[in-house]
Amino acid sequence: MNISIVIPLLNEEESLKELHDWIVRVMQSNHFLYEILFIDDGSTDASWNIISELSKNNPQVKGIRFLKNFGKSQALHAGFKAAKGDVIITMDADLQDNPEEIGALYKLIKEENYDLVSGWKKKRYDSILSKNMPSKLFNWAARRTSGVKLHDFNCGLKAYKREVVKNIEVSGEMHRYIPVLAKSAGFSKIGEKVVQHQARKYGKTKFGMERFINGFLDLITIWFVSKFGKRPMHLFGALGVLMFIIGLGFATYLGIDKLFIHPTGRLITERPQFYISLTAMIIGTQLFLAGFLGEIMVRTRKNETRYTILEELNLAKD
């Protein structure tokens, strides 16, 4: 199979039929062998009914329905797990991503051997104050922190080699940082393509300003996990040793001063250096223990269920 198209969605009943027909036209014109995976992330409208009807008329349409809304990252994780294509394309269900871009993205993966190609919505039709400006600030911070030189981390239209999606873990709200996760996993050939952005045709956006706040918090998390996720002792242990040495240094100074320099001076407990020393050694010990416990958790962690699937369509069981 050439392409798996993974489409996470939440309450997009108006656009699904139109999106499906558009994708099918593109697939047929390019003679691709394909599948379309709709991941219903707990929709409360008629989205699942429409997906069910589409799957009856087109066996290439497959569906996964969550019991409730678990988030876009969990929807992508489920889609990646089920995808069978050599190239996986992700796109949003709101018709703001143009399916006509699929052919060019596929060629970049197959012919130019990219591991991942991210869309760049260079010209946007969103609100300047509520979306465009915060998005630019967010993308600038993501580039500086992660080292991945992409203009648009938030673009839902991306193409991946099969090996990429099968070897990364998308959890929490980390769907914005899949290129960073891919780079951390060793997939270094990451590219970008300018894609056409379209104004939302139906409904309203499911994301507000809070997603940018969450995005910056997730950026800190992904930076920490990518650098120290598998070796927390390297951070906490080093900080703990540093703090303990600082505290020990103050304690040594106080001891030498009291024993040899000013033996008749004021009590050690009356000097601020004593409390600095005590606090630094306590913090250092706690940080070291945090690193030690982190190492134990990393080595004993078991996979946990992050979402519950209520129903599936056209998915063959292994």
Side-chain angles (χ1 to χ4, degrees):
M1 184 180 295
N2 301 125
I3 296 178
S4 294
I5 302 171
V6 176
I7 305 174
L9 63 106
L10 175 65
N11 296 332
E12 297 287 358
E13 60 182 356
E14 300 95 342
S15 62
L16 290 177
K17 178 67 166 58
E18 185 176 339
L19 177 62
H20 165 268
D21 294 345
W22 195 354
I23 291 173
V24 169
R25 289 197 301 271
V26 171
M27 296 297 102
Q28 291 176 345
S29 65
N30 287 278
H31 307 289
F32 287 136
L33 296 175
Y34 71 97
E35 64 179 358
I36 304 174
L37 283 155
F38 288 106
I39 318 298
D40 185 349
D41 186 21
S43 294
T44 55
D45 62 2
S47 293
W48 184 250
N49 294 333
I50 294 171
I51 295 169
S52 299
E53 288 299 317
L54 292 173
S55 70
K56 292 176 183 177
N57 298 323
N58 181 1
Q60 307 309 318
V61 173
K62 303 173 183 181
I64 296 175
R65 185 186 185 190
F66 284 179
L67 181 63
K68 66 170 188 173
N69 177 233
F70 286 97
K72 188 174 182 179
S73 291
Q74 321 329 312
L76 286 173
H77 182 274
F80 289 162
K81 185 177 179 180
K84 305 295 184 184
D86 296 329
V87 175
I88 288 79
I89 305 285
T90 60
M91 62 192 311
D92 294 333
D94 55 11
L95 294 174
Q96 290 190 282
D97 294 330
N98 190 335
E100 300 292 342
E101 305 282 358
I102 291 174
L105 290 171
Y106 177 81
K107 288 181 179 179
L108 286 170
I109 298 292
K110 296 298 287 185
E111 296 179 7
E112 299 191 29
N113 203 34
Y114 279 95
D115 296 316
L116 185 159
V117 179
S118 179
W120 174 16
K121 296 174 181 177
K122 195 171 184 178
K123 182 178 180 181
R124 301 179 66 96
Y125 294 94
D126 295 320
S127 168
I128 294 177
L129 291 178
S130 65
K131 280 198 170 183
N132 282 8
M133 293 302 294
S135 182
K136 288 181 183 296
L137 178 61
F138 167 80
N139 286 314
W140 172 83
R143 285 194 298 272
R144 293 298 300 267
T145 304
S146 68
V148 178
K149 304 303 181 183
L150 295 179
H151 289 87
D152 191 356
F153 283 82
N154 279 320
C155 182
L157 186 58
K158 290 181 173 68
Y160 310 82
K161 276 185 180 177
R162 175 185 171 88
E163 293 79 9
V164 174
V165 303
K166 299 300 183 182
N167 287 282
I168 60 174
E169 285 287 329
V170 187
S171 60
E173 292 295 323
M174 296 300 178
H175 57 272
R176 305 175 184 90
Y177 303 110
I178 293 180
V180 183
L181 296 173
K183 181 184 177 183
S184 297
F187 298 100
S188 58
K189 193 167 183 182
I190 298 173
E192 188 171 47
K193 180 186 180 301
V194 176
V195 296
Q196 182 180 350
H197 181 231
Q198 302 177 141
R200 173 177 276 273
K201 190 173 182 179
Y202 304 106
K204 59 182 181 179
T205 182
K206 309 303 185 297
F207 302 100
M209 284 293 293
E210 69 276 2
R211 74 168 180 163
F212 293 106
I213 298 173
N214 294 336
F216 283 114
L217 296 175
D218 290 336
L219 183 58
I220 296 171
T221 301
I222 199 71
W223 172 82
F224 172 79
V225 170
S226 63
K227 287 186 176 294
F228 304 106
K230 295 182 179 179
R231 42 190 175 88
M233 180 60 86
H234 286 201
L235 175 64
F236 292 109
L239 289 175
V241 170
L242 177 62
M243 292 298 294
F244 194 87
I245 289 174
I246 292 172
L248 186 61
F250 273 106
T252 302
Y253 161 75
L254 289 172
I256 293 173
D257 183 69
K258 185 63 177 176
L259 290 174
F260 302 108
I261 302 175
H262 301 104
T264 59
R266 57 180 172 167
L267 295 174
I268 289 179
T269 54
E270 294 178 350
R271 302 177 66 172
Q273 293 92 334
F274 170 78
Y275 296 100
I276 294 174
S277 171
L278 187 63
T279 302
M281 286 193 286
I282 291 173
I283 293 175
T285 302
Q286 290 177 331
L287 286 170
F288 189 87
L289 288 174
F292 183 70
L293 292 174
E295 291 283 344
I296 294 175
M297 292 175 64
V298 166
R299 284 161 173 72
T300 60
R301 184 183 63 183
K302 296 180 180 179
N303 292 331
E304 58 183 22
T305 301
R306 299 197 298 268
Y307 48 84
T308 304
I309 295 174
L310 179 63
E311 197 172 349
E312 295 180 346
L313 295 172
N314 288 346
L315 292 177
K317 300 294 184 183
D318 293 331

